[in-house]
């Protein structure tokens, strides 16, 4: 005898044929400007080398007592304001970050409480520099499926905390900031299909140097024996270096230069538009030379505004795309209602691209 289900095909669906859009964006840049000259007091480098190889002139660092949740709140408030909704109308929070200092709980529930959204679903996404585009994709699908009417997406990082000051390969690149977007329902599609993926075979090209489990073992040994901590197995000098990020810069650079333009092109194709239809190109701000290479490969017309915020923000990972979007709109560089191609890529390695209508 086979067991029969009681009820088939009768689960109610809250979704419909609705679509999604970005209704508002917001950004927060920490106050402290860190110059290349200051960075060169930590590493053997020069202002000229950093400008030529990365395009970075200055970056912003958060205060020691300023958390990712603090920065997220500062970006969320103007995003809600622009969207014309109040916190109690937010139906879910998706927070893209890799620099919240707690393994658990996530940062997003804390932000929900701060903002006064009520007990909405709130979770973090660990997709590094692709985190914001991952978040937009998730939020868009949530809205379209009817899981929430308004989803607050945050990209926020305090990477100054997870960068070893004396590491020549990362300390001039990584920085702090927060960007936010409100994704809401729309009568027509205003967020295109996301082209996204991962390449776990390149997992170690950008990674935390030593896992927390290993760090704990080292310190348990120190406490049990009174011996000095031994990090030699991991080729790091101390705990400050052990807990920070390392990057195989050249490998990541080549991967981004050759691998990401085709992903961006697929996002254009899936949205049913060409590069000529764009009002803005807003790639992740990893390196000015990567941006230039993508422009060339995409054959982007010269008059299309391109985000080049890296010069003044450094690489803020998940925050870089919403920060650039917010600035370009605020300064009138791109039109409200225009089409923007955004692409994020980074540690994982992971990537995501989509065409969105600017709010
Ligand atoms: C990090 C990055 C800017 C380095 O630039 P690069 O041109 O690849 O530099 P290389 O590592 O090949 O080093 C070139 C030379 O500069 C030197 N160098 C490396 N770092 C340096 C620094 N901070 N200052 C001065 N010189 C430096 C190297 O020692 C090397 O010298 P050599 O030619 O005498 O051996 C570049 O690789 C990059 O942007 N990578 C991708 C970063 C990125 O996108 N990360 C995040 C992804 S989200």
């Amino acid at each position: 005898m086979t067991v029969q289900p009681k009820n088939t095909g009768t689960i109610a669906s809250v979704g419909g044929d609705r679509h999604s859009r970005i209704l508002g964006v917001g950004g927060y840049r920490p106050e402290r400007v860190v110059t290349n000259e200051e960075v060169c007091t930590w590493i053997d480098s020069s202002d000229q080398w950093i400008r030529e190889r990365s395009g970075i002139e200055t970056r912003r660092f958060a205060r020691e007592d300023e958390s990712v949740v603090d920065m997220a709140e500062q970006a969320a408030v103007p995003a809600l304001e622009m969207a014309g909704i109040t916190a109690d109308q937010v139906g879910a929070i998706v927070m893209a970050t890799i620099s919240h200092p707690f393994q658990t709980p996530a940062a997003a529930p804390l932000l929900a409480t701060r903002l006064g959204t009520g007990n909405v679903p709130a979770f973090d996404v660990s997709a590094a520099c692709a985190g914001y585009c991952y978040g937009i994709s998730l939020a868009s699908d949530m809205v379209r499926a009817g899981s929430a009417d308004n989803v607050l997406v945050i990209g926020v990082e305090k990477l100054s905390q997870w960068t070893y000051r004396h590491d020549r390969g990362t300390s001039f690149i990584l920085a702090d900031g927060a960007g936010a977007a409100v994704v809401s329902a729309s009568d027509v599609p205003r967020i295109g299909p996301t082209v996204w993926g991962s390449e776990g075979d390149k997992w170690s090209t950008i990674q935390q140097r030593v896992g927390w489990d290993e760090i704990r073992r080292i310190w348990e040994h120190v406490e049990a024996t009174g011996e000095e901590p031994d990090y030699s197995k991991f080729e790091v000098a101390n705990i400050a270096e052990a807990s920070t990020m390392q990057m195989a810069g050249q490998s990541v650079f080549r991967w981004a230069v050759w691998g990401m333009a085709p992903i961006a092109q697929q996002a254009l194709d899936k949205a049913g538009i060409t590069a000529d239809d764009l009002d803005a190109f807003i790639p992740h701000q990893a390196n000015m030379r990567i941006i230039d290479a993508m422009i060339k490969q995409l054959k982007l017309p010269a008059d299309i505004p391109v985000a080049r915020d890296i010069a003044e923000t450094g690489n803020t990972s998940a925050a870089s795309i919403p920060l650039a979007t917010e600035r370009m709109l605020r300064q009138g560089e791109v039109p409200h209602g225009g089409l923007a191609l955004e692409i994020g890529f980074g540690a994982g390695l992971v990537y995501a691209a989509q065409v969105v209508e600017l709010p």
Side-chain angles (χ1 to χ4, degrees), residues 246-304:
Q246 68 185 358
M247 179 168 67
Q250 251 189 33
S251 307
V252 177
F253 185 86
R254 276 197 297 267
W255 170 77
V257 160
W258 298 111
M260 291 302 102
I263 301 298
Q265 183 59 53
Q266 284 175 40
L268 287 176
D269 297 344
K270 284 208 166 176
I273 65 164
T274 69
D276 292 309
D277 298 318
L278 287 173
D279 296 286
F281 177 43
I282 312 182
H284 168 49
Q285 304 293 295
N287 186 311
M288 204 71 92
R289 292 184 294 143
I290 295 175
I291 296 170
D292 288 331
M294 282 199 285
I295 291 170
K296 236 187 214 168
Q297 290 180 55
L298 287 168
K299 299 190 173 58
L300 209 67
D303 59 343
I304 293 174

Side-chain angles (χ1 to χ4, degrees), residues 46-124:
S46 68
D47 174 47
Q48 191 191 353
W49 190 94
I50 295 172
R51 281 173 194 252
E52 282 177 10
R53 306 308 290 173
S54 72
I56 300 170
E57 295 166 21
T58 58
R59 75 282 291 140
R60 304 283 185 119
F61 279 7
R63 294 187 314 271
E64 199 153 326
D65 66 349
E66 200 170 30
S67 70
V68 292
V69 177
D70 294 333
M71 291 193 284
E73 186 180 3
Q74 296 286 339
V77 169
L80 294 177
E81 214 173 276
M82 183 176 178
I85 66 165
T86 48
D88 59 348
Q89 291 174 283
V90 171
I93 299 182
V94 179
M95 194 141 154
T97 186
I98 54 163
S99 44
H100 173 53
F102 289 80
Q103 185 85 35
T104 194
L110 202 50
L111 178 66
T113 299
R114 286 263 193 100
L115 292 172
T117 59
N119 300 337
V120 300
F123 57 96
D124 294 0

